Amino acid sequence: MRVAIVHYWLLGMRGGEKVLEALCRILPDADIFTLFYDPEAVPPEIRSHRVRASFLQPLRKHYRSLLPLMPLALENFDLRDYDLVLSSESGPAKGVIVPSATRHVCYCHTPIRYLWDLYPAYRNDWTRSRWKRALMTPFANYLRLWDYASAARVDDFVANSENVKRRIWKTYRRESLVVTPPVAVETFYCKPPEDYYLIVSELVAYKRLDSAIRVCAATGRRLRIVGDGPEYQALRRFANGNIEFCGKIGDAELRDLYSRCRAFLMPAEEDFGITAVEALASGKPVIALGRGGALETVPVNEPRGGIFFPEATDASLLEALEHWEQHENQVQPRELQAWAAQFSEAEFARKMRGILFPEPPR
């Protein structure tokens, strides 16, 4: 059986790329098709596969501006020789065209957030230029029509959480199975906590890092932020000496930062929340906005597992921090690590193999 994996773009290692890495281990002979590819930004497991980038590849430095051309690039991939196509979607990926005899499974991290759930915020709050807002409206309308139509090209949807399963139904009116993303839980470890909170995130507006930075800067709490992105300069304006931007770091350094933090902060709604699971696997509680994927990943045994705050406001986050700090000594790291074990890569592989290669009826 010839298998192709279609992933939106390979320009760094975030949650979606960690899922792709696990899929590469399940499908060691699969070819990979992607809109943009930077070999130096991905691990050897992905580079070992034959990777084909789209005709947009020479423009990859400007990939955020090329969304209107991505449908054309995806439909240009030639997938006639494959028996199974697995698309990995949060940016556009499922829009490829496959033969009628080819099965197409889409592992959906979320329907494209800047076209659906977060479109009003992207257009009205996070796009400062008037002319960009003016262009966004007709382009987004065209892309939503294409995105909705391309969902009909998928035979089976797999959602990364119950949260995303609801979004898939709301957006495409398609049912889906839930397989939570893989986390290498056995590679994380716990050390005595030091005096800092931790965030691991791409620096983009919808992650609401500005709220956490404002709260910690105003109250003298130390905060370390791992990741980079287009909002770096804007976020620096909120920061003071208590806030440390660590940038991109290696896996070993990241695990060490997890192991020594007081707690992990997740100030925005997440599709699933791989970083929250990584924190729990490190024996660290999670202080999260009580919406979306966090409700599925963070154990409800506050304050030992963490705390949910109800509103996406600075005041609500501060109240959660103060409440958690009153009970900080009740944290049981081994309980958190045991909880995180359910999200292992072995469990992900077992479920995905069952979907990709179902046993024939007897």
Side-chain angles (χ1 to χ4, degrees):
M1 175 184 287
R2 293 203 64 191
V3 180
I5 302 174
V6 183
H7 187 75
Y8 41 99
W9 47 74
L10 289 170
L11 300 173
M13 283 300 293
R14 298 183 298 159
E17 288 71 43
K18 291 179 181 179
V19 172
L20 176 65
E21 188 178 16
L23 291 172
C24 286
R25 285 189 276 270
I26 297 171
L27 304 165
D29 299 321
D31 295 332
I32 298 175
F33 293 79
T34 188
L35 289 163
F36 309 99
Y37 179 43
D38 179 0
E40 296 181 359
V42 297
E45 185 70 54
I46 295 176
R47 292 199 303 269
S48 68
H49 290 246
R50 184 167 62 168
V51 180
R52 299 179 183 178
S54 74
F55 65 76
L56 296 175
Q57 173 72 359
L59 303 173
R60 71 171 187 259
K61 289 184 178 180
H62 310 285
Y63 76 100
R64 294 180 186 275
S65 303
L66 297 174
L67 183 62
L69 298 177
M70 292 178 190
L72 183 63
L74 286 165
E75 293 176 354
N76 198 54
F77 286 139
D78 187 349
L79 299 171
R80 288 176 294 174
D81 295 332
Y82 296 94
D83 305 294
L84 172 65
V85 171
L86 173 60
S87 57
S88 171
E89 160 112 334
S90 70
K94 69 181 181 304
V96 291
I97 296 174
V98 304
S100 59
T102 299
R103 184 178 175 221
H104 181 179
V105 178
C106 175
Y107 186 92
C108 186
H109 307 279
T110 185
I112 306 175
R113 55 178 63 86
Y114 34 84
L115 295 180
W116 300 101
D117 266 27
L118 296 181
Y119 173 70
Y122 269 99
R123 186 186 183 282
N124 299 315
D125 301 337
W126 301 332
T127 301
R128 299 176 180 89
S129 166
R130 287 186 176 181
W131 71 266
K132 285 185 178 180
R133 283 200 298 270
L135 285 175
M136 183 180 294
T137 301
F139 277 128
N141 178 262
Y142 146 69
L143 288 166
R144 271 192 295 273
L145 293 172
W146 174 84
D147 188 53
Y148 182 83
S150 70
R153 304 174 188 178
V154 175
D155 295 300
D156 299 290
F157 272 99
V158 181
N160 73 351
S161 61
E162 293 292 338
N163 177 40
V164 168
K165 178 178 181 175
R166 288 189 293 272
R167 290 186 197 168
I168 292 171
W169 173 253
K170 181 72 173 179
T171 305
Y172 305 130
R173 288 298 190 260
R174 294 289 305 273
E175 293 288 357
S176 55
L177 298 170
V178 175
V179 178
T180 56
V183 180
V185 292
E186 67 283 352
T187 66
F188 293 85
Y189 54 89
C190 182
K191 289 183 178 179
E194 298 180 11
D195 185 24
Y196 67 89
Y197 291 95
L198 181 66
I199 291 177
V200 179
S201 173
E202 186 182 17
L203 308 187
V204 290
Y206 74 87
K207 295 289 188 177
R208 296 192 66 254
L209 304 187
D210 58 327
S211 178
I213 291 171
R214 281 193 300 266
V215 168
C216 290
T219 60
R221 290 174 169 87
R222 293 182 62 202
L223 174 64
R224 294 182 177 179
I225 301 171
V226 175
D228 64 3
E231 291 294 305
Y232 172 74
Q233 292 297 336
L235 293 172
R236 289 288 303 181
R237 292 198 292 268
F238 298 106
N240 60 14
N242 297 324
I243 314 301
E244 179 181 349
F245 290 86
C246 303
K248 283 186 176 181
I249 61 175
D251 288 346
E253 188 178 355
L254 177 60
R255 284 166 171 73
D256 182 60
L257 283 175
Y258 272 124
S259 73
R260 295 183 289 112
C261 71
R262 292 176 70 179
F264 185 78
L265 305 187
M266 204 159 70
E269 179 178 340
E270 294 287 343
D271 308 326
F272 170 74
I274 287 178
T275 54
V277 176
E278 291 176 343
L280 294 166
S282 305
K284 304 301 178 179
V286 177
I287 300 170
L289 180 65
R291 302 176 190 168
L295 300 176
E296 302 173 50
T297 56
V298 179
V300 185
N301 62 344
E302 85 166 43
R304 291 180 297 173
I307 288 180
F308 296 129
F309 54 98
E311 301 294 334
T313 63
D314 296 3
S316 188
L317 172 58
L318 177 57
E319 184 178 351
L321 281 167
E322 291 173 342
H323 178 61
W324 178 78
E325 287 169 357
Q326 295 173 8
H327 304 276
E328 188 172 358
N329 60 355
Q330 298 179 23
V331 173
Q332 300 292 324
R334 290 186 179 180
E335 288 185 12
L336 303 185
Q337 290 174 311
W339 169 270
Q342 66 183 296
F343 303 109
S344 69
E345 183 173 329
E347 187 65 10
F348 170 82
R350 182 186 68 81
K351 292 179 179 178
M352 284 303 298
R353 285 194 181 98
I355 292 170
L356 297 175
F357 309 111
E359 295 184 4
R362 297 179 180 178

